[in-house]
Amino acid sequence: DSGVTQTPKHLITATGQRVTLRCSPRSGDLSVYWYQQSLDQGLQFLIQYYNGEERAKGNILERFSAQQFPDLHSELNLSSLELGDSALYFCASSVDTSGGELFFGEGSRLTVL
Amino acid sequence: DAKTTQPPSMDCAEGRAANLPCNHSTISGNEYVYWYRQIHSQGPQYIIHGLKNNETNEMASLIITEDRKSSTLILPHATLRDTAVYYCIVRPAFNNNDMRFGAGTRLTVKP
């Protein structure tokens, strides 16, 4: 158990819909990262937050947005969903941005039909 | 841009050492080498990291060449539970921003 909690574990929705994925980082971790992993694809970095502020942005689509709240949990919002958005979405956390390991949650599996 | 090159797949016999290579010929002086693994579709798990010295922990050993252009992750006594995709990542020291994973090496441990 990494200490990072992601909900929901599984989500099935239709094209055009909007969903929100939630991540609670490990206790004491200030930085949260979101990754997308499509079928047979590697982990694609989406975005990183540190203590409520956006710190780095990767290959995140404009239809996707994220935020980190004062209690440090983070949400990833995916809108106007397309079939190709079906993937595992992982959240990771770390103490800060200055080094050390990332602790990953078990992921949220999104299926868009 | 990929900073590391790994073989796409490797096999290892159970109980034997698994040696996973990684090429990072463009590594900078302030960049660390990190290894993670992902078992099936679980969240990736940190294994080990190093700068220039060899490192060992309870999971694995990391051997970094003197010129730092390549490294090898060693699982000393591989078990079936070590079957996973292993990722070698290079990133700057003191900077977790934008840690990018490549395709990794799919290690299959066989009985």
Side-chain angles (χ1 to χ4, degrees), chain A residues 46-67:
Chain A
L46 295 178
I47 198 163
Q48 179 208 354
Y49 281 83
Y50 173 72
N51 204 20
E53 302 280 332
E54 181 184 305
R55 184 56 66 98
K57 188 177 275 192
N59 301 321
I60 187 166
L61 300 173
E62 285 191 12
R63 299 183 286 108
F64 296 179
S65 65
Q67 61 184 124

Side-chain angles (χ1 to χ4, degrees), chain B residues 17-58:
Chain B
N19 297 282
L20 292 94
C22 180
N23 184 292
H24 32 79
S25 58
T26 61
I27 193 170
S28 300
N30 69 343
E31 289 183 319
Y32 280 81
V33 179
Y34 272 73
W35 284 84
Y36 282 75
R37 73 179 182 183
Q38 186 176 22
I39 297 173
H40 194 44
S41 295
Q42 297 177 19
Q45 176 190 25
Y46 164 82
I47 301 173
I48 199 167
H49 74 281
L51 184 62
K52 45 184 159 180
N53 297 324
N54 298 337
E55 302 287 345
T56 296
N57 63 20
E58 65 279 3

Side-chain angles (χ1 to χ4, degrees), chain A residues 30-88:
Chain A
L30 299 178
S31 197
V32 169
Y33 310 74
W34 286 98
Y35 287 83
Q36 177 194 55
Q37 186 172 38
S38 303
L39 189 64
D40 295 329
Q41 296 294 312
L43 286 144
Q44 300 294 316
F45 169 73
L46 295 178
I47 198 163
Q48 179 208 354
Y49 281 83
Y50 173 72
N51 204 20
E53 302 280 332
E54 181 184 305
R55 184 56 66 98
K57 188 177 275 192
N59 301 321
I60 187 166
L61 300 173
E62 285 191 12
R63 299 183 286 108
F64 296 179
S65 65
Q67 61 184 124
Q68 186 179 27
F69 294 87
D71 67 352
L72 301 177
H73 91 272
S74 177
E75 292 181 357
L76 179 67
N77 301 296
L78 315 174
S79 61
S80 302
L81 285 168
E82 302 175 358
L83 297 178
D85 298 327
S86 295
L88 266 169

